[in-house]
Amino acid sequence: MNSHQLGLRPASATVSSCKICQGPAELYGVVDLHRPCETKDAMRPPLSGIPVYYRRCSACGFLFTDAFDDWSEGQFKTHIYNDDYHLFDPDYKTARPNSNAGIVADLWAGHKTRMRVLDYGGGNDVFCSALRAGGFMEAVTYDPMVPEHARPPTGKFDLVTCFETIEHLPDPLAGIARIADYVAEPGAVLYSTLTQPADFDNLGLAWWYVGPRNGHVSIFTKHALNLAWAPHGFKTAALNDGVHLAFRTLPEGWGLAL
């Protein structure tokens, strides 16, 4: 297959607007469609010969591709989030959700019996199952790409978790708006996504986190994250390079001073 047959948007040398701040975003580099984040030879699929161009905003540093902007959910399920996806994200099924459940259980141990938790983009129910088994009042999985968890939840949640999800959003502002809409006031979002490292200008698209086969289409800087959450009145604090907390008002009882 070629780009046209796959429905990929053709690349253009014309300067585009950044998806986060509308600043000028020129073409920055290109990788193969089949490039995964896992770079071990055993995990690397054959090259497809189909180029995926990324742009980078000169104002906020946001890196993104618009190649998939015309795709439907069905096309993503067919070509990215298919039966082979776990081969390129081996921690996706159990290791990551169990590890994340341990982190959340430790941080909110004293409040779990009163908390509603929504896992947005969770993929499966491993994370929420662990929270429910650990005594959380409610833990709900929502992922529009997974039929058994594709029904939108109702109401507001004290904590919305969103692990390794926003880098997958072709329309990050719309996706973050949907996440923010589920957050109670007071409440928070605990989310993970790697931000561009200090030496990104030297690494460029050689940085391992840029992988269209994994669905990584939106790569943030910390500045871009701040701009993306700000329209909803949220601040975002980096707990480390990959884990962040976004909130309007934190519940005082949580004891999280940021």
Side-chain angles (χ1 to χ4, degrees):
M1 299 184 81
N2 57 36
S3 298
H4 177 72
Q5 291 169 321
L6 284 172
L8 296 177
R9 182 176 292 187
S12 170
T14 303
V15 177
S16 292
S17 296
C18 173
K19 292 183 178 183
I20 300 298
C21 73
Q22 289 71 57
E26 297 183 352
L27 290 178
Y28 184 78
V30 59
V31 297
D32 189 84
L33 174 66
H34 282 177
R35 177 185 165 164
C37 294
E38 280 283 339
T39 56
K40 298 175 183 177
D41 288 341
M43 305 297 297
R44 188 178 297 140
L47 293 175
S48 69
I50 298 172
V52 175
Y53 284 86
Y54 284 75
R55 298 178 178 275
R56 194 179 188 209
C57 177
S58 61
C60 72
F62 182 61
L63 180 81
F64 66 96
T65 177
D66 53 14
F68 306 95
D69 284 9
D70 299 325
W71 271 17
S72 64
E73 286 187 3
Q75 286 169 297
F76 275 105
K77 292 175 183 177
T78 297
H79 301 294
I80 303 294
Y81 308 114
N82 51 33
D83 291 341
D84 289 336
Y85 180 79
H86 71 281
L87 298 175
F88 310 108
D89 188 0
D91 293 337
Y92 159 76
K93 286 191 172 181
T94 58
R96 187 183 303 123
N98 279 322
S99 174
N100 290 335
I103 293 169
V104 170
D106 287 344
L107 285 172
W108 283 279
H111 311 279
K112 61 185 180 182
T113 60
R114 302 182 299 277
M115 286 181 67
R116 296 190 80 212
V117 180
L118 170 66
D119 189 31
Y120 190 102
N124 57 46
D125 200 46
V126 172
F127 170 83
C128 286
S129 292
L131 293 189
R132 292 192 299 268
F136 277 77
M137 182 178 76
E138 185 176 0
V140 178
T141 300
Y142 171 59
D143 192 325
M145 294 294 176
V146 181
E148 56 267 40
H149 302 299
R151 184 175 181 178
T154 58
K156 305 287 186 178
F157 294 81
D158 305 293
L159 180 68
V160 177
T161 58
C162 184
F163 297 110
E164 296 301 300
T165 296
I166 66 171
E167 66 273 11
H168 294 258
L169 299 174
D171 187 345
L173 291 183
I176 285 173
R178 286 192 290 271
I179 295 166
D181 193 49
Y182 285 113
V183 183
E185 182 61 27
V189 183
L190 180 70
Y191 69 103
S192 70
T193 191
L194 280 179
T195 50
Q196 296 170 33
D199 60 347
F200 185 79
D201 285 333
N202 294 326
L203 293 171
L205 297 195
W207 189 37
W208 71 271
Y209 203 61
V210 182
R213 181 60 187 87
N214 284 68
H216 286 198
V217 297
S218 294
I219 310 296
F220 290 83
T221 60
K222 288 176 181 174
H223 181 41
L225 283 177
N226 289 332
L227 294 173
W229 287 100
H232 312 289
F234 278 69
K235 300 179 284 289
T236 182
L239 306 185
N240 57 44
D241 286 340
V243 180
H244 317 264
L245 197 67
F247 55 92
R248 297 186 188 97
T249 307
L250 285 174
E252 291 184 8
W254 285 2
L256 296 177
L258 296 173

